[in-house]
Amino acid sequence: MQFLAAAEILETDLWQQYNELGGVDGGNAAYVAALQNLDADMPQYITDNTDDEVSHAAFLNAYLMSRGADPVDLDEFRTLPSSPATGARQVGRLTNLQKLVVDTSFYTRYRSSENPDLGGDFAQAVKIVNQPAIPVNDTETPPSTGQPVPPVTSAARRMQAIANTASFHFGYIEQGGASLYSSMALKVRDLEVLRIVISIGGVETDHFSLWHDKLGNAVAQPLAGVTDPVTGVTFPDLNNPATELSQTNKILPEPADFLRNGLPEVSVMRPTLTENAGAVATIKSFTADRLFEGQSKKFFATVTALAEAADAARRGF
Ligand SMILES: [Fe+2]
Ligand SMILES: [Fe+2]
């Protein structure tokens, strides 16, 4: 539960950055407009997802204390710079959204009948490497840029690619949360804690489902085909050709292998094994995402210790 509190604090930190720039009161007009090219309700969804994470973190820490356990405090690691772009508060951050390597294999994984827990291997839907997910500064990504569909100017293409990256990052983060909670549920001994883990975990899955739908608009007409002029990251039309593993409207989990061979395919969260979905796997994945770029050795030591303790938890018999 302490690791989950840490994970929720980290989630809150990244969602707050998205919310300041692109939420309902989002301060960066061009970013908001580019997000709204994916769905007019994107700012509302971003703000609501942020509220959820704030509530998850606050509840888990309060619950830990109510049971006589130590809460988790990562404040000393709020050392990373904010984006200087219009809209972002200038405060220290835990996470870095400026140079993400987004693992988009969840997109093909949930369209496939293979399961990573049974050795399944999945292609990237979009190659998003060293790409910002929030505006970088007012010179390179001016907040006054018009954002028509499709974007015509270089500045508009850059901002749209940044918003598209955010949408895939939302899906990536939340599918990870869904798998993490499923994996942690298997370790819980206390029924009240189990109730918490499955009840919050269900909302992580809800988040994933929402973003899985919205991000498809970045890789469908009329928006598909945007290339970031700086990084070269391209969002192709995944409906051309439409295949089971690519078409954007297949957002509900396809039935897949589960547990072992010989059982029928079933629509489930995956992965859920500790080695693929647990706490250490989550920190490794977020590190590969470059979400912690610039963090201190002590930060990695702290979150890794919490993760190892979580993965070592056993429900007994
Ligand atoms: Fe959460
Ligand atoms: Fe979440």
Side-chain angles (χ1 to χ4, degrees):
M1 183 143 285
Q2 283 171 326
F3 178 76
L4 289 176
E8 295 291 353
I9 290 167
L10 295 167
E11 254 196 309
T12 297
D13 182 83
L14 69 93
W15 274 110
Q16 280 172 335
Q17 296 183 62
Y18 285 125
N19 188 46
E20 288 164 26
L21 289 152
V24 283
D25 296 319
N28 196 289
Y31 187 53
V32 170
L35 287 163
Q36 285 184 311
N37 286 340
L38 298 166
D39 187 297
D41 288 326
M42 285 291 273
Q44 188 65 55
Y45 299 149
I46 288 169
T47 295
D48 287 350
N49 202 135
T50 307
D51 289 348
D52 291 357
E53 307 309 355
V54 169
S55 79
H56 291 167
F59 180 87
L60 289 172
N61 262 344
Y63 183 78
L64 281 163
M65 287 189 282
S66 81
R67 297 286 304 261
D70 288 336
V72 176
D73 183 353
L74 299 178
D75 285 352
E76 68 175 291
F77 304 115
R78 295 185 192 276
T79 57
L80 302 181
S82 289
S83 165
T86 291
R89 287 186 305 144
Q90 294 306 304
V91 295
R93 310 286 184 176
L94 293 166
T95 61
N96 186 336
L97 300 173
Q98 320 256 2
K99 242 182 179 183
L100 295 176
V101 180
V102 185
D103 181 353
T104 62
S105 63
F106 68 85
Y107 184 99
T108 38
R109 185 202 318 147
Y110 275 107
R111 284 165 174 73
S112 163
S113 61
E114 304 288 309
N115 187 326
D117 288 338
L118 292 166
D121 195 19
F122 308 92
Q124 298 290 318
V126 181
K127 287 193 178 64
I128 303 178
V129 177
N130 298 338
Q131 174 74 18
I134 53 175
V136 291
N137 59 57
D138 288 353
T139 313
E140 214 182 305
T141 53
S144 56
T145 306
Q147 294 294 147
V149 177
V152 275
T153 64
S154 174
R157 286 198 300 274
R158 176 122 171 96
M159 188 65 91
Q160 192 62 57
I162 287 171
N164 291 355
T165 297
S167 74
F168 271 89
H169 197 234
F170 300 162
Y172 159 77
I173 290 288
E174 301 300 329
Q175 62 80 34
S179 278
L180 172 67
Y181 273 88
S182 300
S183 126
M184 290 295 120
L186 300 173
K187 301 175 181 299
V188 175
R189 216 169 337 196
D190 183 292
L191 263 189
E192 190 172 67
V193 174
L194 181 60
R195 185 174 175 193
I196 294 168
V197 171
I198 59 177
S199 299
I200 295 180
V203 172
E204 302 299 346
T205 308
D206 196 6
H207 292 165
F208 169 50
S209 183
L210 168 68
W211 300 122
H212 199 184
D213 187 26
K214 300 308 159 197
L215 66 84
N217 294 327
V219 283
Q221 293 304 336
L223 199 52
V226 173
T227 297
D228 187 308
V230 177
T231 62
V233 169
T234 295
F235 294 84
D237 184 345
L238 293 185
N239 294 319
N240 184 23
T243 70
E244 276 255 299
L245 293 181
S246 75
Q247 76 188 67
T248 55
N249 59 0
K250 292 199 75 90
I251 58 160
L252 298 178
E254 282 297 309
D257 299 333
F258 189 45
L259 302 180
R260 55 190 165 269
N261 293 326
L263 290 167
E265 290 171 354
V266 57
S267 181
V268 288
M269 301 309 306
R270 66 264 197 181
T272 53
L273 282 182
T274 302
E275 65 210 74
N276 300 323
V280 171
T282 299
I283 293 300
K284 279 189 181 156
S285 178
F286 285 0
T287 303
D289 187 52
R290 302 188 75 174
L291 189 61
F292 302 141
E293 197 81 356
Q295 270 294 359
S296 63
K297 278 199 175 110
K298 190 177 176 200
F299 169 85
F300 285 101
T302 301
V303 295
T304 300
L306 286 167
E308 286 173 348
D311 280 354
R314 292 287 177 271
R315 69 174 285 120
F317 36 81

